[in-house]
Amino acid sequence: MSDFSLPEEFPDGLPDGLPDSARDGLPRGAHDGLPGSAHDALPLAAREAARRHCASLEDAVGRFRRDHLDVIARWGSRLAVVLQGGGRLLAAGNGGSAAQAQHLTAELVGRYRRERPAYSAISLHAETSSLTAIGNDYGFDQVYARQVAAHGRPGDVLLMLSTSGRSGNLIAAAATARSAGLRVWALTGPAPNPLAEAAHEALCVDAASTATVQETHLVAVHVLCECFDTAVETGPHWRTSGASGSFAPAAARRRMS
């Protein structure tokens, strides 16, 4: 039961002309005294905002399905070859994109839907002591590049997520990874952007809202896991598939290290 009561000058409820900003600060239950039309308008406005959000996401996912499934399927197949061959996935992002990078690596180290072997995948932001030490000693732009230099081997994959595609630390990591012989993929917001240009391949989500880009990235992460698991289950083993060249050194060097 709320102990809030309307001021004495409003015995019959708040007036229709009261600004929304004044109503928004009321405690739970205070709107019960509003006139019917004003009371109904509050959830209608919220529902309209929710509808616009969902419509934006539906449009973005529709474009993703139309334009990018081939890219994700190719990434999933390649990742299956790399990880089954002893290679590693490195993933990085900032803020919400860091959380999604860690989501992806958790699906690979653990499992996505079906039981399968564990695979080597590291989310670079999760190593907090290294992250803060590198940031302190070398600057924030180097927090991922330095870790790529430490953990990456030729044939490994670096996947970076960024809604803007303009994060300096990810662009620096891409340059380090390419120099070290890693394959670099980027999930970004609208093209063109510097991170997409720094990667070997990029999947650029065409959406105006940062939230919509992030939500579509999560769809892409799950579809990548789906494609990876399917490739692991149905594809030829890496030793008999004819996959050679850049894939083998990752496993060989890691066994020696």
Side-chain angles (χ1 to χ4, degrees), residues 65-88:
R65 181 174 58 191
R66 183 189 67 213
D67 299 335
H68 299 304
L69 287 188
D70 286 348
V71 174
I72 286 288
R74 184 169 64 251
W75 288 5
S77 296
R78 171 118 186 200
L79 196 58
V81 174
V82 171
L83 298 190
Q84 288 185 105
R88 174 176 289 158

Side-chain angles (χ1 to χ4, degrees), residues 16-104:
D16 290 339
L18 191 68
D20 288 343
S21 59
R23 299 171 185 268
D24 290 343
L26 295 176
R28 179 179 298 177
H31 291 149
D32 294 344
L34 295 175
S37 60
H39 186 280
D40 293 343
L42 293 175
L44 284 174
R47 285 199 297 270
E48 176 58 21
R51 187 201 64 77
R52 289 195 303 268
H53 186 105
C54 291
S56 175
L57 180 57
E58 288 170 3
D59 290 344
V61 172
R63 288 189 293 271
F64 167 79
R65 181 174 58 191
R66 183 189 67 213
D67 299 335
H68 299 304
L69 287 188
D70 286 348
V71 174
I72 286 288
R74 184 169 64 251
W75 288 5
S77 296
R78 171 118 186 200
L79 196 58
V81 174
V82 171
L83 298 190
Q84 288 185 105
R88 174 176 289 158
L89 173 71
L90 304 178
N94 296 296
S97 295
Q100 294 197 345
Q102 192 168 6
H103 185 145
L104 172 59

Side-chain angles (χ1 to χ4, degrees), residues 13 92 97 112 213 239 246:
S97 295
Y112 174 57
V213 172
R239 287 192 178 92
S246 63

Side-chain angles (χ1 to χ4, degrees), residues 1-2 5-7 15 55 59 65 79 85 93 107 110 118 122 132 137 151 156 172 185-187 193 201 211 245 255:
M1 178 69 69
S2 172
S5 60
L6 291 169
D59 290 344
R65 181 174 58 191
L79 196 58
E107 302 282 26
I122 299 174
T132 53
D137 294 344
H151 300 304
D156 285 346
W185 299 336
L187 281 173
N193 63 74
E201 290 187 89
R255 284 194 297 267

